[in-house]
Amino acid sequence: MKVFKAGAAAAVAAVLALTATACGGSSDKASSDGGASGGAKKDKIVIGIKFDQPGLGLKTPDGKFTGFDVDVATYVAKELGYQPDQIEFKQAVSAERENLIANGDVKLVVATYTINDKRKAKVDFAGPYFLAHQDLLVRADDTSITKAEDLNKKKLCSVTGSTSAQNVKTKLAPEADLLEQGGYSECLTGLENKKLDALTTDNSILAGYAAQEKNKGKFKLVGLKLSDEPYGIGLKKGDKDLQTKVNAALKKMVEDGSWQKAVDANLGPANYKAEPAPQITEGS
Amino acid sequence: MFDFLNSGQYDVLGAFWVTVQLTLYSAVGSLIWGTVLAGMRVSPVPLMRAFGTAYVDIVRNTPLTVIIIGCSLGLNQTLGISLGGGTFKEIGFRLAVLGFIAYTGTFVCEALRSGINTVPVGQAEAARALGLSFFQVLTLIVLPQAFRAVIAPLTNVLIALTKNTTVAAAIGVAEAALLMKEMIENEPQALFAVFGVFALGFVLLTLPTGLLLGWVAKRVAVKR
């Protein structure tokens, strides 16, 4: 019994020591990241993106990152003084974005992050760098849906808990038969098999799916503007210095044509009409 | 901090009611299906034993999320099976119950089989000597005693099932976990408060279940 107690005490002590060092380690890293906004060359910048949205932020099977958000993130990082090999991309799931920023796990979040007041209570935004709208994706030969009210007799799919799904339920078409799936890929299965009539979310995300090699020619965007979703770059609340720098970087990206090039390359196919870059409204 | 609860925007009780309904239907269904499976696993027919063993081993070792999403994507979206439901709301609920029964039944079966092992062999032999058939031995002599022995493990299965119903959110059943996702999407500033509300909700559902059935288990257990 005594031996057991001693062993347990030693184990507890070891665990405590390990956690303590682990905490120390991570906070050291965070603080060094925090001080590096000026651009110390050897440091890394951690940027949160989506890993599962083709055309915007996608981690490919060979470990590369592609998409419009990735291009924007790379450009902004370059303006902040980081080369592409100094960028570490971290997955920023929608529900975790605010905490990743507030905890200092990431410096920036470039992940289809719509600017709104509730989010601004926890983080600051730079941008917007892109103006998306809620839209519908239908089969390429389907012409029966031309406005939101048409959805009331249709079978519709969106992602569980997303703003787009809630918009449909409360405002756009309360009588639509709405299926909420875990991800957009699941919706595409039903859409292709004609069990569903439309898939709804931001047009940028829809365009990314429709532009995928395996989906080319199968789906099209209806082209409705059911909502405004200005995407911003999330950063730590109160970091005015970083906000100004990121805004300047975004402005430069639009002016030198890189922005348009990134939009065309990532979201080009699928009947997607890219709008000009939005005016920057956050910070000043 | 908890103002989001008073806004009237979220029907937390309604969502938990769907959770309760999912749990109850699935519990009754998996109790029946699990008993049938246990019967198969101890039956004298080799084919039935083989089926029971294969089913339990395969389904028990498949992740529940895979089963539930398989019900929605495979059965409904691809094969068009809707279990008589008209809207996605009905179809999703029924498919989820089907998936939970298929999955939880295996755990009920294994709990019950351990209960059958607590019944002394002499009882089954005596019953057989009286001329009872296998079915009669099982339903009249063995299972009634087995059930009384496994109330506590079945309670664990029921509590696990209650919490597992959150997986139904993956196919859009409007239960507690789905509402939680909506609230996290809309109220990022109150993330921990939202988590707290739902964690508390599940504690309120499972804790009384555990206490009540623990008491029942003590009362009805066969003293040997």
Side-chain angles (χ1 to χ4, degrees):
Chain A
M1 197 60 198
K2 227 174 200 169
V3 176
F4 172 74
K5 262 188 190 162
V12 168
V15 168
L16 282 178
L18 280 176
T19 12
T21 43
C23 289
S26 68
S27 67
D28 281 347
K29 189 165 162 281
S31 61
S32 74
D33 276 351
S37 59
K41 286 291 175 200
K42 57 182 176 287
D43 277 321
K44 279 190 179 266
I45 183 169
V46 187
I47 300 181
I49 58 164
K50 293 272 175 72
F51 277 14
D52 56 354
Q53 284 182 348
L56 292 162
L58 184 72
K59 186 176 184 180
T60 57
D62 55 359
K64 290 203 181 75
F65 300 96
T66 64
F68 177 67
D69 279 347
V70 175
D71 291 349
V72 170
T74 312
Y75 191 96
V76 169
K78 193 186 80 195
E79 291 300 307
L80 293 175
Y82 298 93
Q83 292 307 308
D85 59 344
Q86 289 174 296
I87 303 172
E88 186 188 324
F89 287 114
K90 195 177 167 96
Q91 183 165 27
V93 181
S94 291
E96 290 170 6
R97 290 178 295 205
E98 289 80 16
N99 283 320
L100 284 174
I101 297 171
N103 297 342
D105 293 331
V106 299
K107 191 101 180 132
L108 302 170
V109 165
V110 193
T112 61
Y113 203 3
T114 299
I115 302 173
N116 69 31
D117 288 342
K118 280 187 173 156
R119 287 171 181 163
K120 274 199 246 178
K122 267 203 121 168
V123 300
D124 271 345
F125 287 95
Y129 63 94
F130 192 81
L131 182 59
H133 306 282
Q134 185 175 352
D135 197 357
L136 303 167
L137 190 74
V138 295
R139 285 183 296 279
D141 57 355
D142 189 348
T143 52
S144 62
I145 301 174
T146 51
K147 54 185 187 298
E149 291 75 47
D150 293 342
L151 290 172
N152 278 324
K153 291 185 195 100
K154 295 286 182 182
K155 292 185 182 297
L156 186 65
C157 188
S158 193
V159 164
T160 313
S162 64
T163 315
S164 318
Q166 296 180 44
N167 269 347
V168 172
K169 275 193 278 191
T170 54
K171 280 183 278 185
L172 298 172
E175 283 160 48
D177 195 3
L178 176 68
L179 175 65
E180 291 179 65
Q181 292 278 23
Y184 299 109
S185 313
E186 280 102 309
C187 290
L188 285 177
T189 310
L191 191 57
E192 208 179 337
N193 291 334
K194 305 198 172 178
K195 296 284 181 277
L196 295 164
D197 300 311
L199 159 57
T200 184
T201 182
D202 298 356
N203 52 8
S204 54
I205 299 174
L206 295 173
Y209 275 99
Q212 267 186 309
E213 202 56 51
K214 61 180 178 194
N215 294 331
K216 259 184 191 152
K218 286 187 193 164
F219 309 111
K220 66 170 184 196
L221 285 164
V222 176
L224 303 175
K225 291 181 181 174
L226 304 174
S227 72
D228 286 335
E229 310 286 341
Y231 292 166
I233 295 184
L235 46 88
K236 195 161 213 151
K237 191 151 185 61
D239 197 342
K240 292 283 170 214
D241 182 42
L242 183 62
Q243 190 184 35
T244 314
K245 279 181 186 157
V246 174
N247 276 336
L250 289 174
K251 221 169 185 174
K252 192 173 163 197
M253 188 177 181
V254 174
E255 277 163 9
D256 72 5
S258 318
W259 186 88
Q260 192 62 43
K261 237 194 280 172
V263 171
D264 291 343
N266 292 299
L267 307 169
N271 188 28
Y272 179 73
K273 309 246 183 340
E275 290 176 48
Q279 283 298 315
I280 287 171
T281 55
E282 297 302 303
S284 49
Chain B
M1 191 178 181
F2 288 95
D3 1 320
F4 59 90
L5 284 178
N6 301 326
S7 66
Q9 197 183 344
Y10 306 109
D11 186 8
V12 178
L13 287 181
F16 270 106
W17 174 234
V18 177
T19 296
V20 170
Q21 282 177 309
L22 268 180
T23 310
L24 287 182
Y25 284 117
S26 309
V28 171
S30 47
L31 196 62
I32 295 169
W33 178 226
T35 311
V36 172
L37 279 175
M40 284 187 188
R41 293 206 67 174
V42 298
S43 87
V45 186
L47 193 65
M48 281 185 142
R49 279 206 306 273
F51 171 81
T53 312
Y55 178 90
V56 168
D57 281 344
I58 292 171
V59 175
R60 187 176 55 167
N61 292 306
T62 310
L64 179 60
T65 316
V66 174
I67 293 177
I68 296 293
I69 291 180
C71 281
S72 174
L73 274 189
L75 290 183
N76 182 251
Q77 302 288 308
T78 310
L79 296 176
I81 295 168
S82 59
L83 300 179
T87 61
F88 283 126
K89 210 176 155 188
E90 289 170 11
I91 298 171
F93 185 87
R94 292 176 193 194
L95 285 170
V97 170
L98 179 77
F100 288 130
I101 291 174
Y103 181 77
T104 316
T106 63
F107 292 93
V108 172
C109 165
E110 291 304 272
L112 208 48
R113 209 158 61 90
S114 74
I116 291 174
N117 288 336
T118 66
V119 181
V121 186
Q123 298 219 6
E125 284 170 349
R128 248 198 321 276
L130 288 174
L132 300 184
S133 68
F134 167 76
F135 190 70
Q136 284 173 316
V137 174
L138 191 68
T139 52
L140 296 176
I141 311 293
V142 178
L143 277 184
Q145 300 186 64
F147 265 114
R148 290 169 62 174
V150 295
I151 300 230
L154 281 185
T155 310
N156 291 340
V157 173
L158 179 62
I159 288 174
L161 170 66
T162 311
K163 295 183 287 184
N164 282 344
T165 55
T166 50
V167 175
I171 61 168
V173 180
E175 46 70 74
L178 190 136
L179 183 65
M180 187 173 86
K181 280 194 182 174
E182 275 188 20
M183 286 165 76
I184 291 173
E185 172 93 11
N186 297 348
E187 318 282 343
Q189 81 288 0
L191 184 65
F192 290 104
V194 171
F195 276 140
V197 165
F198 282 90
L200 183 72
F202 276 97
V203 168
L204 288 180
L205 282 182
T206 53
L207 208 57
T209 313
L211 291 175
L212 178 74
L213 289 178
W215 175 76
V216 172
K218 261 192 205 139
R219 296 233 7 183
V220 303
V222 184
K223 304 280 185 295
R224 290 190 209 278

